[in-house]
Amino acid sequence: MSSTETKAVSCPQCNYENHVTVYKTINGSTDGKAIKEKMLSGELFRFKCEKCGHEAMLKYPVLYNDIDKKFMVFYIPEIDRTSAVDKNLEKEYAYEELNDITRRLAGSFNEFKEKVHIFESGLDDRAMEIAKVALYDVVSKRTGEEVKGGYFSKYSEKDGTIGFTFFVGEENQIYVQTTRIEIYKKSAEIADNYKEDTGRKFVLVNRDWARNVLYVYKKKNEQ
Ligand SMILES: [Zn+2]
């Protein structure tokens, strides 16, 4: 089940103290579609001041878990690789008694949404990150522009392709790049051979992580 709490939030515009309901956890397998859609659209994080009507996005941690599909994504705004989750928080949320669950961190709302999308598609997020990093270079060469970011946007089992949407150049232009599923499979192999023991339950698997894994892989193959 989901859990919520009431938080006092001072309006950044008029300083009025609002009391808002925030979600601590959301359970994807029992809470139904409505709440999940609100989460993915960002509506759950929208703040509107009762007094002056000022609107803003709230940033707070929320754990999304789907036990049926065996994954949890812990969204902690602005977390990075060096600032692993607080041990107490990890203890409270990891449900250590559950085996065979993939536990991930996400440091931005877009990463959070992407993780949920990947796991719901039954894909391996480590392989996706590695494939994406490889495609950054391809897109950069093709467009002659710097790639600012990208996310998983399409998967076709029938055609054997996966697709990513990238943002390139100063204007953040959208560039869609698809690739063969074999690239994904090769990436999954690389991920499987990468051993890392962070001693943590929740792991941050993002662009930096994938770059590091690819670096280690290339080094090994040079020897
Ligand atoms: Zn206000």
Side-chain angles (χ1 to χ4, degrees):
M1 282 301 287
S2 305
S3 64
T4 59
E5 64 182 349
T6 305
K7 266 193 172 166
V9 178
S10 296
C11 172
Q13 183 98 334
C14 73
N15 249 340
Y16 178 76
E17 195 177 87
N18 291 259
H19 292 275
V20 296
T21 303
V22 300
Y23 279 80
K24 290 170 80 181
T25 61
I26 295 168
N27 188 325
S29 36
T30 60
D31 291 337
K33 270 193 168 163
I35 186 77
K36 195 172 110 189
E37 269 159 26
K38 272 186 162 180
M39 175 188 87
L40 293 175
S41 71
E43 207 186 314
L44 269 192
F45 303 96
R46 212 156 281 155
F47 163 82
K48 191 174 181 191
C49 178
E50 275 171 36
K51 200 172 175 197
C52 75
H54 179 74
E55 289 186 41
M57 289 295 273
L58 294 175
K59 283 184 178 176
Y60 60 85
V62 61
L63 176 83
Y64 182 76
N65 61 78
D66 188 325
I67 304 305
D68 291 345
K69 295 201 173 103
K70 296 187 176 296
F71 73 91
M72 296 179 175
V73 186
F74 204 165
Y75 169 42
I76 302 182
E78 269 125 49
I79 197 164
D80 62 38
R81 225 175 135 68
T82 50
S83 60
V85 195
D86 183 87
K87 281 216 161 109
N88 291 327
L89 211 59
E90 191 159 73
K91 212 169 187 179
E92 186 180 346
Y93 287 109
Y95 299 92
E96 290 180 45
E97 68 279 11
L98 297 173
N99 293 318
D100 201 20
I101 299 270
T102 302
R103 296 174 178 85
R104 293 291 186 255
L105 286 175
S108 75
F109 183 57
N110 284 338
E111 270 175 37
F112 176 56
K113 282 196 295 186
E114 185 184 32
K115 290 284 173 212
V116 172
H117 186 194
I118 289 171
F119 291 128
E120 289 199 330
S121 304
L123 295 165
D124 178 337
D125 69 319
R126 302 167 312 158
M128 294 299 272
E129 288 297 336
I130 293 170
K132 194 176 14 170
V133 159
L135 285 178
Y136 267 101
D137 299 337
V138 173
V139 172
S140 177
K141 259 184 207 147
R142 280 201 185 146
T143 60
E145 300 267 14
E146 192 192 338
V147 182
K148 306 277 188 187
Y151 62 92
F152 162 58
S153 54
K154 208 173 124 224
Y155 170 47
S156 168
E157 211 173 351
K158 192 179 108 243
D159 302 336
T161 57
I162 48 170
F164 295 89
T165 300
F166 291 99
F167 304 106
V168 300
E170 287 306 315
E171 312 270 291
N172 277 327
Q173 281 204 356
I174 286 175
Y175 189 94
V176 177
Q177 178 71 50
T178 52
T179 189
R180 285 170 298 113
I181 200 77
E182 282 73 22
I183 301 290
Y184 165 80
K185 285 180 182 158
K186 178 68 195 169
S187 300
E189 222 176 86
I190 293 171
D192 282 338
N193 285 317
Y194 177 74
K195 301 275 177 264
E196 178 190 46
D197 189 9
T198 58
R200 294 301 196 151
K201 288 285 172 191
F202 288 96
V203 186
L204 190 65
V205 172
N206 59 11
R207 186 176 177 175
D208 290 343
W209 178 91
R211 284 211 188 278
N212 182 49
V213 173
L214 272 178
Y215 174 78
V216 171
Y217 171 77
K218 280 176 188 157
K219 276 230 136 171
K220 243 190 212 168
N221 284 280
E222 276 167 14
Q223 285 163 10

